[in-house]
Amino acid sequence: HPHPHPHPNAERSGPLVPARVAHVFLWDLDDTLIPWDSMAKGKLQGGKEFFNQWFEISKQHQADYLFGDQIGNVQIDALDEELDPLHHLGLFESMQDTPPSLAHAIKLYPEVARVYEEAVVCNGQAKDQGLQELLDRTDQISAQWLTAGKAAIDAASGVPGSLNVIVTASKLLAAVTKLLLFGLGCYVDPHNIYSCWMEGSKKEVFQIFKKKFPSAKFLAIGDGKQEKLAAQELRVPFFPISAAAGPDAAVMDLEELKQRFERMAR
C-alpha cells in the first residue's frame, strides 16, 4: 500500500513504503517511543492522575474519529483492506457484551486507515491547544522522552529504503490513536501497525515481515521481553530501550539509537 504523503524529509528518505525495502525497523510503542507504561504505572510526576488525562483523551479520540463506538469489541490485528489471512494473526470478536456485527466493524477498519492518513501532521504543533499543552507537560516530566522518541524514528526514516513497523501489545485502535496524538503518524504507514493484544505474538508478526522482505536487514527495538525473545529466536538484532533506571535512561538509549540510524544513513 503506497502512502500518499511523503515523509517530511522526502528528499532523502522517500515515501513511508519505499519501492525497494532494504531495512525493516520493528518498533515497540509503549515505553519505547512514548512513556505510556511509565505514566500508567504512576512512575512520572503527577502519578496515575496525570495518566488518566491521556487515557480519557485516547478513548474519546477513538470514539470521535476512529469509529470506536461502532467497532466496539471487534478486534483485528492490522489495517489490511484485503484482510489477507497471510498478513493476519486472526480475526476476533469479544462476546462479553453485544458488539455490532462483525462484518460491519471489519468494513470500518479500512476507513480507520483513511482517517489516519488524512489526520497525520508531520510538522509543527498539535492543532488542539489543550493537547499541545499536555504533550509539552509530558515531555517535561519524562526527560524529553517524546522529543527523543520522535528524533529516533525520524532518523530511522532517513535511512535509505527504510520501513517502520509498529508491533504493540496495545489494541489496534489504541495504537493508531497514540501514533496520531503523539505526532508519530508521519513515520509509519497505517498498514504497518500491528497489534498482538488478543492473540498471536510479536514473533509471528516479525515472521510476517521476514517472509515479505526476505532480503531486507532487520532491527527490533523495544523495552519488553516478548520482542527481545522474538528477535533472539529469529536472529534479528535487538536494540533495548529501558526505563528501569528512570526516563533519563530511556532517553539516553533513544539518543544512542538515533546516532546509530544517522550512521546508517551516511
Side-chain angles (χ1 to χ4, degrees):
H1 297 277
H3 197 286
H5 308 300
H7 181 265
N9 297 324
E11 67 276 9
R12 69 188 175 93
S13 62
L16 293 179
V17 181
R20 179 183 173 274
V21 175
H23 297 275
V24 178
F25 302 129
L26 301 159
W27 297 86
D28 177 46
L29 182 58
D30 297 338
D31 263 28
T32 296
L33 284 164
I34 57 174
W36 191 264
D37 289 342
S38 289
M39 290 193 295
K41 293 173 183 174
K43 292 183 177 181
L44 301 184
Q45 188 179 341
K48 293 185 179 180
E49 289 182 14
F50 179 76
F51 170 73
N52 287 340
Q53 295 179 64
W54 272 116
F55 186 76
E56 291 304 319
I57 286 174
S58 172
K59 295 292 286 184
Q60 195 63 47
H61 186 275
Q62 292 172 52
D64 291 348
Y65 301 107
L66 302 179
F67 315 102
D69 292 339
Q70 295 181 64
I71 287 174
N73 289 323
V74 176
Q75 295 298 323
I76 191 173
D77 54 13
L79 301 174
D80 178 9
E81 290 184 58
E82 297 162 7
L83 298 179
D84 184 342
L86 293 175
H87 299 159
H88 285 275
L89 306 174
L91 222 52
F92 313 106
E93 184 173 12
S94 167
M95 301 306 292
Q96 291 176 342
D97 50 72
T98 307
S101 78
L102 182 63
H104 176 66
I106 294 305
K107 286 178 183 176
L108 289 173
Y109 273 105
E111 288 297 300
V112 171
R114 181 186 59 76
V115 171
Y116 174 99
E117 290 177 336
E118 291 178 354
V120 163
V121 176
C122 288
N123 294 309
Q125 296 194 321
K127 294 176 183 177
D128 182 274
Q129 185 178 350
L131 173 60
Q132 187 58 52
E133 290 174 358
L134 192 60
L135 287 164
D136 291 342
R137 177 68 180 144
T138 304
D139 215 25
Q140 182 185 2
I141 65 174
S142 65
Q144 280 70 56
W145 193 325
L146 301 185
T147 298
K150 189 177 286 190
I153 197 168
D154 182 77
S157 300
V159 176
S162 63
L163 183 74
N164 291 311
V165 178
I166 296 292
V167 189
T168 178
S170 290
K171 292 182 181 180
L172 186 59
L173 285 193
V176 170
T177 291
K178 290 172 196 174
L179 288 168
L180 291 175
L181 293 178
F182 287 94
L184 298 171
C186 54
Y187 303 110
V188 185
D189 183 271
H191 303 98
N192 291 327
I193 307 168
Y194 270 73
S195 166
C196 303
W197 184 71
M198 286 197 74
E199 191 170 304
S201 67
K202 294 196 173 186
K203 179 184 173 183
E204 288 172 295
V205 179
F206 288 11
Q207 286 174 319
I208 287 171
F209 282 87
K210 289 208 80 176
K211 288 176 184 175
K212 194 172 183 180
F213 304 108
S215 62
K217 294 180 179 179
F218 282 74
L219 178 66
I221 304 124
D223 74 306
K225 291 180 181 177
Q226 197 182 123
E227 55 261 30
K228 183 178 180 180
L229 288 172
Q232 286 177 346
E233 288 185 37
L234 298 175
R235 297 183 180 179
V236 169
F238 179 73
F239 192 100
I241 307 294
S242 176
D248 299 73
V251 168
M252 286 181 65
D253 290 339
L254 285 165
E255 288 175 349
E256 184 183 336
L257 179 62
K258 171 177 171 275
Q259 292 168 10
R260 177 171 178 165
F261 289 136
E262 287 172 344
R263 290 192 296 272
M264 292 172 68
R266 287 177 194 150

